[in-house]
Amino acid sequence: MKSTTKSPTLAAIGLAAAAALALAACASGSSGSSGSTGGTGATGSTLTIADVAPFSGPDAALGPTYLASCYGATTAINNAGGVLGHKLTCKSVDTRGDPADAVPAVNQMFATTSSLALVIGCTSDEAASVVPIINGHKMAMFCMTGQSEFDHVHFPYFYRLVPPDLEESYAMVAIAQELHYSRIALAFGNDIGSQTFIQPAIAALKKAGIALTTNQTLDLSATTFRTEAEAIIQSHPDAIMTEALGSADPTLFAEIKQLNGGKMIPIIGTSAAISPPFFKASAAAVGASTFATDFRADNLVTETGGPAYQAFSKALLAEQGKVPGATGNFTTYLSAPGGVHLYDGINLAALAMIMSKSTSPGAYGPDIIKIGDGVPGATVVYSFAQGAAALKAGKAIRYEGPGGPTSFDGFHDSTGIFQVDTYSSSGTVNVVGNLTAAQLRALSG
């Protein structure tokens, strides 16, 4: 029997997290919570950026993806002189993709990490549990969660450069429309992050007049999905919309091919599928050429040329072979949402520290918005080095990174439009189209 993990409400999680925060504060004493002091430290000390994400469990590929971004951004920042006399470093905080593990891990992070200046990561697996804690410590965070609850609950220290999952669900259905598919099967993992796609996808399919043939939930702890594969094959879909990380999706693909006379059913994935480990495992399961031929994924539009991309690619590729846990084709990180948007988040935060002349999130946080959205007459900069030089020259700046320009709303959300990605048989990501805002609006509730 498969179980479906439901996302707890932020109100309920907030109460639990507040209790956990209070207990942690009592346990650690005044010397433990570096987050409460806002990342301050003596001039010349090292500031820490914490990557709060799964490094183990089914979603273990997410942590190293974000860490690659952190390594690239902080090395470039340090090479450009650092921030207010500080160098930056990265720290992994393994949530295991489970709220029960994430809460103590984050409390431990605050109790033991000196000069914490920023948190990145916080995926849909654990964001509802840890965002209230991080916010309670008055620590700025750039999260990769797509949970729609964050669209209308304001956390002053929360920032997001990726869309809510419901928009990604619409994007997947728009891809199906463009490919003229009329029958779609769903196969999503039983983790919190994957489950949030299902109901918006079902509603969008109905609005698009596309038949839902079957809805299968994949237990990420299982080692075989033969029953689910048979159900999908027997429902005769034109394609499968899916997100089931770890080994789940590749195992499902292999069993579908085996049970379907050696033929794959086309796949439409989420942006999480743009990941070196995902391609490597899927290609091994069904063959690189077969997988590449039958695969599409939505992804946020990112720049693939110009000064911002050049600075980003140089910074990230310089870390190849240095990032713990990073496997597969390293160039895929140039298109991975976490690789792109957390790089931008780190640069925005570092430039805001310089602008505010403070490493305290309470002081530099508002300047993240000012630098991201800009003001009339602001100088556009495409890297930390350019931005730092302009700020030191007394100029107002607008930062535009590889994720494109930002436009933050009152909940600190800034999301762009989507592109359609494919893989080559070597694992290189190719952009084959764009999805307009009008296409997504036509599929929304």
Side-chain angles (χ1 to χ4, degrees):
M1 179 181 295
K2 301 289 183 269
S3 63
T4 300
T5 304
K6 295 184 178 179
S7 174
T9 65
L10 284 174
I13 283 293
L15 292 174
L21 178 60
L23 288 172
C26 292
S28 61
S30 61
S31 64
S33 178
S34 63
S36 297
T37 63
T40 57
T43 300
S45 64
T46 298
L47 302 179
T48 299
I49 297 177
D51 178 2
V52 175
F55 285 84
S56 59
D59 292 348
L62 297 177
T65 299
Y66 307 161
L67 196 62
S69 177
C70 189
Y71 272 42
T74 56
T75 298
I77 290 168
N78 291 341
N79 289 342
V83 175
L84 303 176
H86 302 278
K87 296 294 185 181
L88 304 182
T89 191
C90 304
K91 175 177 181 174
S92 303
V93 179
D94 186 8
T95 67
R96 302 182 183 180
D98 187 330
D101 294 311
V103 169
V106 168
N107 283 330
Q108 181 72 4
M109 172 191 73
F110 280 109
T112 60
T113 307
S114 61
S115 298
L116 183 63
L118 179 68
V119 168
I120 62 171
C122 32
T123 73
S124 294
D125 288 339
E126 68 281 319
S129 300
V130 303
V131 166
I133 298 175
I134 299 169
N135 192 77
H137 277 278
K138 300 181 179 180
M139 178 53 54
M141 67 196 103
F142 277 89
C143 289
M144 292 298 294
T145 177
Q147 288 170 289
S148 298
E149 295 98 316
F150 292 102
D151 300 352
H152 54 268
V153 178
H154 180 63
F155 290 97
Y157 294 88
F158 173 90
Y159 300 86
R160 181 167 62 172
L161 299 176
V162 293
D165 288 339
L166 61 85
E167 288 190 20
E168 239 190 304
S169 297
Y170 304 155
M172 298 173 79
V173 175
I175 293 172
Q177 283 183 310
E178 289 192 342
L179 295 172
H180 304 292
Y181 294 147
S182 60
R183 296 173 60 81
I184 294 291
L186 302 185
F188 285 86
N190 64 347
D191 58 303
I192 293 171
S194 298
Q195 284 289 303
T196 58
F197 290 103
I198 295 174
Q199 292 307 316
I202 291 173
L205 287 170
K206 183 177 181 180
K207 194 159 189 178
I210 297 174
L212 172 62
T213 65
T214 185
N215 178 14
Q216 298 294 317
T217 297
L218 307 182
D219 183 347
L220 299 187
S221 64
T223 57
T224 180
F225 300 101
R226 187 179 182 89
T227 300
E228 292 85 351
E230 288 177 338
I232 290 170
I233 293 167
Q234 291 171 9
S235 74
H236 303 292
D238 297 324
I240 304 165
M241 288 171 45
T242 185
E243 179 183 284
L245 302 183
S247 62
D249 258 341
T251 301
L252 176 70
F253 301 160
E255 292 177 335
I256 286 174
K257 183 180 179 183
Q258 180 186 12
L259 296 170
N260 197 37
K263 297 180 181 179
M264 262 305 291
I265 299 172
I267 300 296
I268 301 174
T270 69
S271 57
I274 306 302
S275 159
F278 182 83
F279 174 82
K280 183 178 180 181
S282 298
V286 300
S289 178
T290 298
F291 178 68
T293 299
D294 292 322
F295 176 81
R296 299 287 189 280
D298 68 75
N299 199 0
L300 274 180
V301 170
T302 59
E303 296 181 9
T304 57
Y309 177 79
Q310 291 168 6
F312 167 59
S313 59
K314 180 181 178 181
L316 200 69
L317 294 179
E319 302 307 309
Q320 187 166 355
K322 302 176 185 178
V323 182
T327 61
N329 188 337
F330 198 83
T331 63
T332 303
Y333 291 129
L334 295 173
S335 301
V340 175
H341 298 292
L342 292 180
Y343 168 88
D344 281 346
I346 293 168
N347 280 341
L348 282 167
L351 290 171
M353 293 178 199
I354 294 175
M355 183 173 174
S356 67
K357 298 181 174 60
S358 174
T359 61
S360 170
Y364 78 71
D367 288 334
I368 289 175
I369 308 296
K370 295 176 185 176
I371 290 172
D373 293 356
V375 296
T379 299
V380 178
V381 299
Y382 301 100
S383 67
F384 170 82
Q386 281 187 334
L391 287 171
K392 290 174 184 176
K395 297 179 181 178
I397 65 170
R398 173 169 186 165
Y399 170 81
E400 183 175 322
T406 64
S407 180
F408 286 101
D409 64 16
F411 299 98
H412 296 173
D413 278 341
S414 175
T415 63
I417 59 175
F418 289 91
Q419 65 190 30
V420 183
D421 288 353
T422 65
Y423 282 112
S424 71
S425 58
S426 65
T428 301
V429 177
N430 300 310
V431 180
V432 297
N434 290 302
L435 303 173
T436 67
Q439 283 177 284
L440 302 188
R441 281 196 299 269
L443 294 168
S444 66

